Amino acid sequence: MAIQFLLSDGLPRRFAARSDIKVYFQDLVPERYLEEMPYDKITQVRRQTTQVKISDNLYIGSEHPIVVQSMTNTATDNIDASVAQVKALYLAGSAAVRLTVKDEAGAKAIPQIDQALKSEGFNIPLVGDFHYNGHLLLDKFPACAQALAKYRINPGNVGYGEKHDYNFDTIVKIAKANDKPIRIGVNWGSLDQDLLTEFMDLNSKGKLSRKFKELTTNSFVFEEINQELNYKEVMYLCMIESALRSAELAMQAGLSEDRIIVSTKMSELQDLINVYRLIARACKFPLHLGLTEAGTPIKGMIASSAALGILLQEGIGDTIRMSLTPGVGDPLNPLNDRTLEVRACQELLQALELVYYKPSVTSCPGCGRTSSTYFQLLAQEINEYILLSMNDWKLKYPGVEKLKIAVMGCIVNGPGESKHADIGISLPGDNEEPVAPVYINGELTQTLRGENISKEFKNILSEFIENKFSRYVRH
């Protein structure tokens, strides 16, 4: 399994012209995946989609920033609890918040929740999550239908047999009457069983392989390929068919193309990547990304970041959610906080340099060279200082969210990382001179000493931000 580097300029490997490197992985991946990949093509061009208006201030689609969404876990008819959690998720950065609408009590509560939020100055787009009986609830409670900004429909449980299309059509026509967009949310755990049976039958006759090859190669295939796909490949095609067939039904019912978002969620990382790569080629609808039932906080954040990070890097995805299972117990434990899923999405998007939310702080993990915890405490203080200051900074200093700060713990990487940041400080490690050089725009500007390094550095940081961004102040 050799990796061969072919250099077009003939120079030794280490001196090759950076964008002329062609990498071929021999015997490592199937031949169809071999391609030239310039080193500096870091982020793929965003997949082009229709643009869907959710509210006056929120659009989802390729011409707009990727949107973070979340969902409450309160009983929807507990209005006080639901209002409190919607506000918390929104303030954490969720642009829209989804609530379960499972029964009449929940449907009655939606307009009350919406009104309570607006009375406090929060005009937050609320998304209704419907399963089984959405057609009944939306028809019976028009105030709920109007208060919601978007409806999420699961085509796998909207009805069965002849009732499926009628129930789905009912919801779509209510959405059209109220000028609301919908998300067609296909989930592998509740996939339309009639459709899956149909596809299994087609597969047994070798009727799906040509379509699968067309999607995987992104090209037309004219010859018949009479061979069976494996179960997962059939599942991928079935999920895509469920989403796109539902979208077609919605448009036949009068909903325009720019009122439809789709998702095809799975719980296994590789499956999610595969199915979204395929559906991204099959339509122009905006895609909602998410690993369904991602799991408990640490596992869920890692798995979601791995899957979503790959897709986002390839330009796939217009809105995201991490479906984390929060812990229970101590409410002060951040792993028990429902807003963790919002912050995790923001950190992912900022790490990929797709959306910026706040200045980023680079800090080292510590090692045997730094028995002191001072640099850890300073990094923590700087992060807390940023969080406390961001609301004010956003108003005064547009662009501050792209600022890069370094707080390093010793001489090994400290000066280098500090020079690469917009502003950085390198604290002394064990047996090093007790000084802390400060770098601004790559240049050493001053050296701090004594017991007030933290306070002095925060003052320097504030002054730097004011000087750097004050010319952008809105008047």
Side-chain angles (χ1 to χ4, degrees), residues 120-171:
E120 296 184 39
F122 292 95
N123 193 9
I124 303 171
L126 303 179
V127 181
D129 193 60
F130 295 97
H131 300 271
Y132 307 109
N133 59 355
H135 58 294
L136 299 173
L137 296 173
L138 287 168
D139 182 57
K140 186 172 182 178
F141 299 97
C144 171
Q146 182 58 44
L148 291 169
K150 183 178 71 172
Y151 311 157
R152 184 275 174 120
I153 313 170
N154 184 341
N157 57 34
V158 75
Y160 304 98
E162 295 180 358
K163 292 182 178 180
H164 176 281
D165 289 1
Y166 175 80
N167 295 346
F168 184 85
D169 184 75
T170 299
I171 298 175

Side-chain angles (χ1 to χ4, degrees), residues 44-256:
Q44 296 280 350
V45 175
R46 181 99 171 263
R47 167 182 166 269
Q48 295 302 294
T49 74
T50 53
Q51 315 307 312
V52 179
K53 180 180 177 179
I54 308 301
S55 68
D56 289 342
N57 299 314
L58 180 62
Y59 287 77
I60 293 176
S62 56
E63 294 179 7
H64 303 276
I66 295 166
V67 171
V68 174
Q69 297 191 53
S70 58
M71 186 174 182
T72 62
N73 62 354
T74 56
T76 305
D77 59 351
N78 185 335
I79 295 171
D80 289 343
S82 295
V83 167
Q85 193 170 87
V86 169
K87 286 194 300 185
L89 292 167
Y90 177 76
L91 290 171
S94 182
V97 180
R98 182 157 43 116
L99 300 98
T100 296
V101 187
K102 65 177 183 178
D103 51 27
E104 293 191 358
K108 290 177 182 177
I110 290 294
Q112 297 179 61
I113 293 169
D114 183 54
Q115 188 56 47
L117 290 165
K118 287 177 177 174
S119 70
E120 296 184 39
F122 292 95
N123 193 9
I124 303 171
L126 303 179
V127 181
D129 193 60
F130 295 97
H131 300 271
Y132 307 109
N133 59 355
H135 58 294
L136 299 173
L137 296 173
L138 287 168
D139 182 57
K140 186 172 182 178
F141 299 97
C144 171
Q146 182 58 44
L148 291 169
K150 183 178 71 172
Y151 311 157
R152 184 275 174 120
I153 313 170
N154 184 341
N157 57 34
V158 75
Y160 304 98
E162 295 180 358
K163 292 182 178 180
H164 176 281
D165 289 1
Y166 175 80
N167 295 346
F168 184 85
D169 184 75
T170 299
I171 298 175
V172 170
K173 286 180 176 175
I174 293 172
K176 183 177 185 299
N178 288 280
D179 192 24
K180 306 295 183 181
I182 65 171
R183 172 164 69 93
I184 298 169
V186 180
N187 193 303
W188 83 278
S190 54
L191 188 60
D192 185 331
Q193 293 304 299
D194 291 340
L195 185 61
L196 183 57
T197 299
E198 175 189 338
F199 267 55
M200 287 297 184
D201 183 56
L202 288 170
N203 187 52
S204 69
K205 299 173 183 177
K207 300 297 185 182
L208 295 180
S209 47
R210 185 170 73 175
K211 181 62 177 175
F212 189 77
K213 186 172 182 180
E214 286 181 340
L215 281 175
T216 54
T217 61
N218 203 26
S219 61
F220 289 109
V221 175
F222 297 100
E223 73 275 11
E224 289 293 331
I225 307 175
N226 294 314
Q227 63 186 39
E228 292 189 37
L229 303 175
N230 64 45
Y231 175 77
K232 284 195 172 183
E233 290 170 337
V234 176
M235 177 73 78
Y236 301 156
L237 288 182
C238 190
M239 292 185 68
I240 293 168
E241 179 70 13
S242 178
L244 300 188
R245 186 181 293 187
S246 298
E248 183 64 29
L249 286 172
M251 289 188 286
Q252 289 175 5
L255 202 65
S256 62

Side-chain angles (χ1 to χ4, degrees), residues 47 49 60 66-71 96 98 127 129 150 152 182-186 260-266 272 275-276 279 285-292 308 311-312 316-323 345:
R47 167 182 166 269
T49 74
I60 293 176
I66 295 166
V67 171
V68 174
Q69 297 191 53
S70 58
M71 186 174 182
R98 182 157 43 116
V127 181
D129 193 60
K150 183 178 71 172
R152 184 275 174 120
I182 65 171
R183 172 164 69 93
I184 298 169
V186 180
I260 299 171
I261 297 166
V262 301
S263 62
T264 49
K265 292 190 177 184
M266 304 188 79
L272 186 84
V275 76
Y276 270 98
I279 196 170
F285 299 114
L287 296 178
H288 174 118
L289 302 186
L291 193 67
T292 191
L308 273 56
L311 293 169
L312 292 167
I316 299 170
D318 304 285
T319 179
I320 67 172
R321 183 195 171 204
M322 290 193 190
S323 302
C345 285

